[in-house]
Amino acid sequence: MKANKRTLRIDARWIAAVLLVALLVTAPLYLKDSPYQMAVMTGAFFYAILASSWALLAGIAGQFSFAHMALAGIGAYTAGLLGRDLGATPLMGIIIGTLLAGLIGLIIGLLCLRLRAAYLALFTIAFSELFRIALLTEFQFTEGSNGLQLSKLWEAITGVQEYYVMLALLLGAMAFMYWLSGSRIGLFLRSLREDQEAASAMGVNVVRYKVLIFVITSLIAGLAGAIFYHVISIVTPNTMEILQMSLVIAMAVIGGIESLLGAAIGAFLTRIGLEVLREINIFGLQIEFGAWRYAAFGLLLMFTLRFAQNGLIHPIIDRLFIQPTRKETVAKRAQTDSATAREGEP
């Protein structure tokens, strides 16, 4: 009977995941007459990738960085400049841009990750601002504040196809990150977050794994940026502002910093919510919130930090899917220990 309950519980988790994916896959069928709403969801996928990969870096590995948006910009600007000046195809530009973002992540990691997390945060703030200023001032190469135009991913691509490209990228990135966090490497990363000295004493190469996870998340950010900015066909230095990076971090915190899925869902819902609050129609009355929608977002973040340190989304996921499995595992261990103790009695 217990085995049947466990099977049903596991099936419920998979069914929930399949239903969520199916809902996202079929969404264009209902949004085909609303290209703006589909574009908003496509952008929400981009922020979900950034927030979940940042949660992998900060929430699981314990490395606090402000460079994610800059690394996404590196991927996008590299792809755009290669296409404009050298005639490279979007695919070639995306590959090179992703690799360059990973290389920059490797350099930052080798420079900073031997130090404490505070130095990484300060260094990445400085790096992001220097990169943004360079983009603004070297306008003869980067078009400055006007932004760099990027070609479409392929000729005659439609909004629905762009939606599916970003959805596939999100699902692929989430699958990879979940595999990584559940692997032996993920165990080492969690040990670094909890106690670096203890992990080092147990034989974990602290610097190697800190650099490794920083490079991996840099590659993910660079790939997401290179593809997404090809989708919207322009990238500007304003997207690399610290405010934008803070928005990504806040999305991850609201979803649940130690949960990849929670961070992704938090980013997705937050991005859509910010667009919904741009203008609301209440009984024929048009209300434009403008910048005040960010104030509402700030209040939500303050509430989360004060009353829900594990985020707003992750506790729901934990209560529905993780806690029952955890209780069952504990019960099994208690039953095994009890049987072992009885066998040892004279």
Side-chain angles (χ1 to χ4, degrees), residues 168-287:
L169 181 61
L170 171 61
L171 295 178
M174 292 296 295
F176 171 75
M177 288 188 288
Y178 263 104
W179 168 81
L180 184 68
S181 63
S183 68
R184 184 183 176 123
I185 295 175
L187 180 62
F188 291 158
L189 295 177
R190 288 182 174 86
S191 71
L192 299 182
R193 179 193 66 193
E194 297 301 326
D195 192 328
Q196 291 187 25
E197 287 76 11
S200 179
M202 294 297 292
V204 178
N205 190 322
V206 173
V207 175
R208 176 186 298 173
Y209 285 102
K210 287 168 69 174
V211 172
L212 176 64
I213 193 59
F214 197 88
V215 171
I216 289 174
T217 53
S218 297
L219 288 169
I220 294 173
L223 177 62
I227 293 179
F228 176 68
Y229 289 113
H230 270 290
V231 166
I232 64 175
S233 300
I234 189 171
V235 56
T236 65
N238 291 337
T239 60
M240 279 116 241
E241 291 180 346
I242 294 299
L243 176 62
Q244 293 297 319
M245 184 62 234
S246 300
L247 182 62
V248 172
I249 295 174
M251 288 174 172
V253 171
I254 289 174
I257 192 174
E258 296 182 13
S259 169
L260 300 177
L261 181 59
I265 295 176
F268 183 82
L269 295 179
T270 300
R271 183 60 186 152
I272 292 177
L274 287 173
E275 288 300 320
V276 170
L277 288 176
R278 187 184 295 272
E279 183 177 336
I280 296 180
N281 189 328
I282 303 178
F283 301 111
L285 177 63
Q286 296 286 343
I287 302 178

Side-chain angles (χ1 to χ4, degrees), residues 10 22 72 100 121 135 148 159-160 179 186 288 302 314 327 342:
I10 293 175
L100 182 59
L135 294 175
L148 179 66
V160 174
W179 168 81
E288 296 184 4
M302 292 169 61
H314 176 64
K327 289 179 181 178
R342 285 196 300 269

Side-chain angles (χ1 to χ4, degrees), residues 85-141:
D85 298 337
L86 300 179
T89 63
L91 178 59
M92 182 60 67
I94 289 169
I95 293 173
I96 296 176
T98 302
L99 293 176
L100 182 59
L103 177 61
I104 297 298
L106 175 62
I107 295 172
I108 293 175
L110 292 175
L111 289 175
C112 296
L113 290 175
R114 296 178 184 275
L115 307 174
R116 291 294 181 182
Y119 293 97
L120 175 63
L122 292 173
F123 188 94
T124 50
I125 289 175
F127 167 76
S128 299
E129 279 299 288
L130 286 172
F131 179 61
R132 186 181 67 86
I133 292 171
L135 294 175
L136 284 171
T137 55
E138 298 299 321
F139 57 88
Q140 67 272 28
F141 301 109

